[in-house]
Structures are given as structure tokens and as C-alpha cells.
Amino acid sequence: MLLGCAGTPPSPAPPAEKQTETREPDAAISPAPAPAKSPGRTFSPPTELDRLLDAHPLALPTVKPATAPAPDTTVAKPPDGEKPAKEGTETVFQIQVDALSDIDAAQARKAVLEAKLEVRIDMIFDAPYYKLRFGSFATRREAEDKLVELAGKNLQGFIVRQ
């Protein structure tokens, strides 16, 4: 037998009575109003912003996909020390001068570089970057010579084999 704190046996608990609680709704709490049924989409006349946007359509940039150039029938003979190209293809070297993830920044940089270098810059999208490349050099040596010329104009880049 278990004893309580005072050394006396614990008294039995009185039988629990089942009590059911009935609650009446408060007069101060009212049910939430039902949402108004909308008849569907409603038409509103165009705003000033709509007219402004319609007046100036957005021009999408032209971006080349990142694919190898089409094979050319002429094959350039590589100088000593370079691997010969496979039959029916031409090895082309380009110089990549920048890679940006934002298309607007890439277009602005392209315009600056075209003005500074006076060459056409290709913008190639290779997810997630827009790569700015130029040139079509048959040998790596030609591309390296162009890199030296770029260094004189305070520009950096690297050679990419296509």
C-alpha cells in the first residue's frame, strides 16, 4: 500500500461527474459577411500607363545560340604544334571579352566594345550567361596577336576554340 506525505493512505478521489457545457452564442459576435459574388472579369478602360506601353513596343535583342559554326568546305592547315582539324571542319578561334548574366548590361557592354574596338561583337547566350565574342581567326597565333593589341587598349579577353 502506498502512503501519502503524512504517512496516511491517500483518500480516494470523488467520482467525476460528467458535465456538459452548453454555450450560447454571444450577441456581440456576428458571423462574417459572405463575400460578394463577382460576375467574372470586368473590363476597365485603358489607363495612361497602358497607352504609354502600347505606344512603345519592346524590341527583343538578337542573340545567337551557343552552337558550333556550320562546317566549311575549306580546311585551314594548322601551324606546327596545333592539332589538325577533323576532315570537313574548320577550326575557328574567337576572342571572348566579357560574359554577363543580365541581357541589358550585356547589350550596353556590347555597344561600348563595338565603338571602342571598331569590330562587330557577337552576343552568344550560353545559359546563364550572355557571352561577348568577336573575330574569326584561323590560327591561335592570329588570335594571340589580337589579344596583344587588346592589351594596348586596356582590354582583357581570352581565346575560345569553336
Side-chain angles (χ1 to χ4, degrees):
M1 173 176 235
L2 293 175
L3 299 177
C5 292
T8 60
S11 60
E17 296 178 18
K18 284 192 173 183
Q19 294 180 357
T20 58
E21 184 177 320
T22 53
R23 199 170 168 203
E24 295 185 26
D26 294 337
I29 300 176
S30 62
K37 292 184 180 180
S38 67
R41 292 187 176 180
T42 58
F43 176 76
S44 60
T47 63
E48 185 65 31
L49 179 62
D50 293 329
R51 283 189 221 100
L52 182 67
L53 290 175
D54 289 340
H56 301 287
L58 299 174
L60 298 176
T62 55
V63 178
K64 291 184 176 183
T67 59
D72 196 4
T73 56
T74 60
V75 177
K77 183 181 176 192
D80 295 335
E82 290 188 25
K83 295 180 182 178
K86 295 180 182 177
E87 283 297 318
T89 62
E90 180 181 347
T91 302
V92 176
F93 296 95
Q94 286 188 309
I95 296 177
Q96 182 168 321
V97 289
D98 216 339
L100 302 155
S101 60
D102 181 32
I103 190 166
D104 295 328
Q107 286 177 331
R109 179 74 171 151
K110 177 183 174 188
V112 168
L113 289 172
E114 283 179 339
K116 190 170 188 176
L117 299 175
E118 298 175 352
V119 295
R120 191 177 125 255
I121 304 282
D122 296 329
M123 184 167 35
I124 300 168
F125 181 69
D126 188 11
Y129 297 107
Y130 294 91
K131 298 178 178 182
L132 303 178
R133 297 178 180 169
F134 76 95
S136 179
F137 305 100
T139 65
R140 181 174 287 277
R141 184 166 307 271
E142 290 175 20
E144 288 171 351
D145 292 341
K146 189 66 174 181
L147 275 176
V148 170
E149 185 181 320
L150 285 178
K153 295 181 179 183
N154 293 328
L155 290 174
Q156 294 180 349
F158 58 92
I159 298 171
V160 178
R161 189 177 197 167
Q162 291 281 325

